[in-house]
Amino acid sequence: MDGLFLEITDIVIEALEVLLNHILYLRDVYPTQIFKKRRIYNTPVYISIYPPLNSYLYNVLKSARELLKNNELRCLEAKLYKEDSANYEVYRFMIANPIAFNKEKQDEFLIDFEEQIRASLYLMAERLKLLPKLPNDARFKVLLQTTQAAFVKFSQNPHHQNFPWICSNCVDRPTSKQEEISLLPLTSIKSLNISLMADIVR
């Protein structure tokens, strides 16, 4: 079972990597020249070839994998924001417990999973292209939501000392009454207990 669980964990992390790249490309957070077209899940997607961004995503997803492996990852948030930390858009990847996935009974060859990812990529492209262009000052960061105990244990792990995480006190910051929020449900992927939702904050 451990081997199967680790395999599913890697599949989930790979899907998150593709979806993060897809959002960054579609929303023009970085110049289009830093993305190269590749075929993944039997569909064309654009993946970053920019070393600083790739290094950041690698370390983020390495950390996410460690938390997911221990069933301690609750949510991964990709935030597009401006310098004073006000959010333009927030994309939430809600993670269910992948231990519940039984490869022998559920989509053994991941055909349904890949079809859902493929459909999600197309659906996101259609919906995100309707959004207004982001300002030129838009920045990007990732937050991982976990338990306090997991954060303490994780921050003391020597394998992650070269990419330290800090505890954010603004993840669930109350919204002011003057702030207008619209919710754009992008898609959901349920084959491996992943569901994706996006909050578009205006």
Side-chain angles (χ1 to χ4, degrees):
M1 180 63 185
D2 289 344
L4 172 60
F5 178 50
L6 291 177
E7 179 184 343
I8 298 304
T9 298
D10 288 337
I11 292 169
V12 171
I13 294 300
E14 180 185 52
L16 289 172
E17 180 181 12
V18 170
L19 291 165
L20 285 172
N21 274 273
H22 197 55
I23 290 168
L24 294 174
Y25 175 77
L26 292 172
R27 297 305 288 132
D28 292 320
V29 181
Y30 295 91
T32 56
Q33 295 89 335
I34 77 159
F35 293 92
K36 183 176 181 179
K37 184 188 287 188
R38 293 178 53 195
R39 196 161 190 83
I40 305 175
Y41 305 120
N42 200 29
T43 193
V45 294
Y46 286 86
I47 301 296
S48 166
I49 57 172
Y50 182 51
L53 175 58
N54 291 355
S55 177
Y56 176 74
L57 289 175
Y58 170 81
N59 283 291
V60 162
L61 293 171
K62 177 183 176 184
S63 302
R65 183 186 185 280
E66 182 73 18
L67 292 171
L68 185 61
K69 183 180 69 174
N70 295 315
N71 192 25
E72 296 167 339
L73 181 63
R74 301 294 175 261
C75 174
L76 182 148
E77 290 189 349
K79 293 197 174 189
L80 309 184
Y81 69 104
K82 59 183 178 180
E83 191 168 358
D84 62 5
S85 293
N87 297 324
Y88 290 127
E89 298 171 3
V90 179
Y91 298 83
R92 287 197 179 105
F93 298 79
M94 305 302 297
I95 311 295
N97 182 2
I99 293 178
F101 176 76
N102 185 330
K103 192 173 180 180
E104 294 179 357
K105 298 180 180 179
Q106 304 173 25
D107 195 18
E108 179 179 359
F109 300 105
L110 303 178
I111 294 173
D112 179 58
F113 171 71
E114 291 195 6
E115 178 58 35
Q116 288 194 41
I117 289 282
R118 192 159 46 245
S120 294
L121 293 170
Y122 284 116
L123 186 60
M124 289 171 66
E126 288 299 310
R127 292 183 172 176
L128 293 183
K129 74 180 182 182
L130 300 176
L131 296 178
K133 182 176 174 59
L134 288 169
N136 292 331
D137 65 351
R139 299 186 177 196
F140 163 69
K141 66 180 175 182
V142 175
L143 290 85
L144 303 179
Q145 291 187 10
T146 185
T147 64
Q148 188 173 30
F151 171 74
V152 171
K153 180 176 66 174
F154 185 82
S155 62
Q156 295 173 350
N157 187 327
H159 297 295
H160 298 275
Q161 294 302 309
N162 61 338
F163 190 76
W165 288 82
I166 59 172
C167 187
S168 172
N169 59 5
C170 61
V171 171
D172 295 314
R173 183 179 56 191
T175 303
S176 68
K177 293 182 180 179
Q178 292 78 23
E179 197 174 78
E180 180 183 350
I181 296 184
S182 59
L183 299 180
L184 177 63
L186 285 178
T187 186
S188 64
I189 303 163
K190 298 179 180 178
S191 180
L192 293 180
N193 291 337
I194 306 174
S195 62
L196 165 63
M197 58 179 286
D199 308 316
I200 310 302
V201 181
R202 298 291 176 200

